């Protein structure tokens, strides 16, 4: 893909560390992008907007007196438990979601399309070059709900020959679990750093552990994309509809209340690396990010030909 793609990604001026890897996938595929305040509603293109904050609505409102030729699509990677888009219904042509459970919730609004995120192997380059120093990495803020699990994972017992959860590694493990890796560029905007301690921590981890910040039963597509790129066995809190992922083939699916007991058993499961490579193959070879974006755009155009997913003003 190159800058002549029929879509343009839209980036906020405010940098969100949690979207670091999303923008790395945009970058390695040479997809065009612009900032929110550079959206030109008169251009015949599709704008793909992964984050909507206070920058978006005022810019669109300032241009409502112009002829609208573009399509405005929110690639919704957030979480909500209802189909109502609120005032965003008057700003968007369509919504993409990458969690099938979430898609079923949002589908009644008539604007939602399911587009798997996939991944890109290039963001996990050299993932096998380092020894596995860390038992797992979770790349999340330690909310109370997450801490209730992570703080109670059983430590290893060296006299039994188990190397999981070494007491001396606990503080190091937590230090390496933040969404780090962004620096200021020459224009003062935050941009992703291609390598460093965060990349090293991912390469040095045996598992990716995903515990949701709340009880909404939805996947976390960016974390799955990272795990896929690094071929990390992905351990997730239970999701009702994980399609296209298959439990015990592409990832491990555990009830929240059983993670502290079942995760240590999984850590000793002999095929755990195979699970990681199955996810890598599915999301970087069969369903990569670039292919999914193109197919999502084609799905959008088909819906618009049917008279759906088109906002008029």
């Amino acid at each position: 893909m190159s800058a002549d793609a029929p879509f343009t990604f839209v980036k906020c001026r405010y940098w969100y560390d949690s979207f670091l890897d999303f923008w790395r996938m945009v970058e390695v595929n040479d997809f065009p992008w612009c900032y929110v305040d550079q959206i030109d509603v008169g251009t015949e293109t599709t704008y793909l907007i992964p984050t909507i904050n206070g920058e978006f609505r005022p810019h669109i409102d300032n241009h409502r007196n112009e002829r609208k030729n573009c399509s405005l699509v929110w690639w919704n990677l957030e979480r909500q438990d209802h189909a109502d888009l609120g005032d965003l219904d008057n700003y968007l042509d369509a919504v993409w979601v990458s969690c099938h459970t979430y898609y079923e919730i949002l589908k009644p609004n008539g604007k939602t399309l399911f587009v798997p995120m996939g991944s890109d192997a290039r963001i996990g380059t050299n993932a096998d070059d380092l020894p596995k120093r860390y038992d797992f990495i979770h790349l999340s803020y330690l909310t109370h709900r997450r801490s209730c699990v992570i703080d109670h994972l059983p430590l290893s017992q060296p006299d039994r020959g188990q190397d999981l959860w070494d007491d001396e590694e606990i503080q190091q493990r937590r230090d390496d679990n933040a969404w780090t890796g962004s620096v200021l560029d020459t224009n003062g905007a935050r941009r992703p750093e291609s390598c460093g301690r965060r990349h090293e921590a991912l390469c040095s981890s045996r598992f990716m552990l995903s515990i949701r910040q709340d009880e909404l039963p939805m996947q976390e597509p960016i974390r799955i994309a990272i795990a896929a790129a690094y071929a990390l066995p992905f351990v997730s809190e239970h999701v009702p509809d994980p399609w296209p992922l298959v439990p015990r083939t592409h990832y491990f699916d555990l009830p929240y209340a059983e993670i502290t007991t079942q995760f240590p058993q999984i850590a000793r499961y002999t095929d755990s690396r195979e699970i990681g490579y199955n996810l890598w193959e599915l999301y970087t070879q069969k369903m990569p990010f670039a292919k999914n974006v193109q197919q999502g755009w084609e799905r959008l155009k088909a819906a618009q030909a049917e008279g759906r997913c088109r906002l008029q003003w």
Side-chain angles (χ1 to χ4, degrees), residues 8-242:
T8 300
F9 285 88
V10 179
K11 185 183 295 187
C12 297
R13 294 281 180 181
Y14 182 87
W15 175 257
Y16 292 91
D17 280 338
S18 57
F19 281 78
L20 167 69
D21 299 275
F22 181 93
W23 289 110
R24 289 178 65 199
M25 290 192 290
V26 172
E27 179 183 0
V28 298
N29 285 287
D30 195 26
F31 285 144
W33 66 272
C34 70
Y35 286 112
V36 172
D37 53 54
Q38 296 172 327
I39 292 176
D40 182 352
V41 298
T43 301
E44 292 186 3
T45 190
T46 297
Y47 289 107
L48 303 177
I49 311 161
T51 50
I52 290 183
N53 62 8
E55 301 172 32
F56 176 69
R57 291 175 180 85
H59 178 73
I60 299 302
D61 286 339
N62 287 338
H63 294 274
R64 285 192 183 270
N65 62 337
E66 300 175 20
R67 180 182 176 85
K68 177 179 175 292
N69 295 316
C70 69
S71 295
L72 299 169
V73 178
W74 179 23
W75 197 340
N76 185 356
L77 301 169
E78 306 300 333
R79 307 159 63 79
Q80 63 189 59
D81 59 358
H82 55 83
D84 183 16
L85 294 174
D87 70 324
L88 281 174
D89 192 44
N90 297 318
Y91 290 85
L92 301 169
D93 292 88
V95 179
W96 289 4
V97 294
S98 297
C99 168
H100 211 261
T101 301
Y102 196 12
Y103 169 68
E104 292 298 329
I105 293 173
L106 296 182
K107 187 167 59 173
N109 65 36
K111 287 189 172 185
T112 302
L113 301 173
F114 176 70
V115 179
M117 175 171 286
S119 187
D120 195 298
R122 289 170 289 184
I123 71 171
T125 301
N126 302 321
D128 290 327
D129 287 356
L130 296 174
K132 304 302 180 185
R133 297 177 52 216
Y134 303 107
D135 299 313
F136 66 91
I137 189 165
H138 58 81
L139 289 179
S140 59
Y141 181 76
L142 279 177
T143 61
H144 176 72
R145 190 172 188 276
R146 288 168 173 150
S147 294
C148 284
V149 172
I150 292 173
D151 289 348
H152 293 88
L153 286 168
L155 299 178
S156 64
Q157 301 179 41
D159 59 324
R160 296 184 183 179
Q162 300 171 358
D163 61 357
L164 189 64
W165 292 294
D166 183 342
D167 192 34
E168 296 178 357
E169 291 288 317
I170 290 179
Q171 189 59 47
Q172 292 177 323
R173 187 182 68 228
R174 291 182 181 175
D175 286 347
D176 282 309
N177 269 294
W179 288 104
T180 58
S182 61
V183 297
L184 293 179
D185 64 19
T186 55
N187 296 318
R190 295 183 70 84
R191 63 175 175 80
E193 189 175 52
S194 60
C195 58
R197 198 163 73 95
R198 180 180 179 281
H199 175 70
E200 180 182 351
L202 282 160
C203 292
S204 303
S205 298
R206 295 177 59 197
F207 293 89
M208 170 83 76
L209 175 62
S210 177
I211 302 172
R212 296 187 291 271
Q213 64 184 8
D214 51 44
E215 296 184 0
L216 296 179
M218 299 169 191
Q219 286 178 323
E220 299 183 313
I222 294 179
R223 289 193 181 89
I224 298 173
I226 299 169
Y230 285 85
L232 273 172
F234 189 71
V235 180
S236 171
E237 182 180 352
H238 175 67
V239 176
D241 186 357

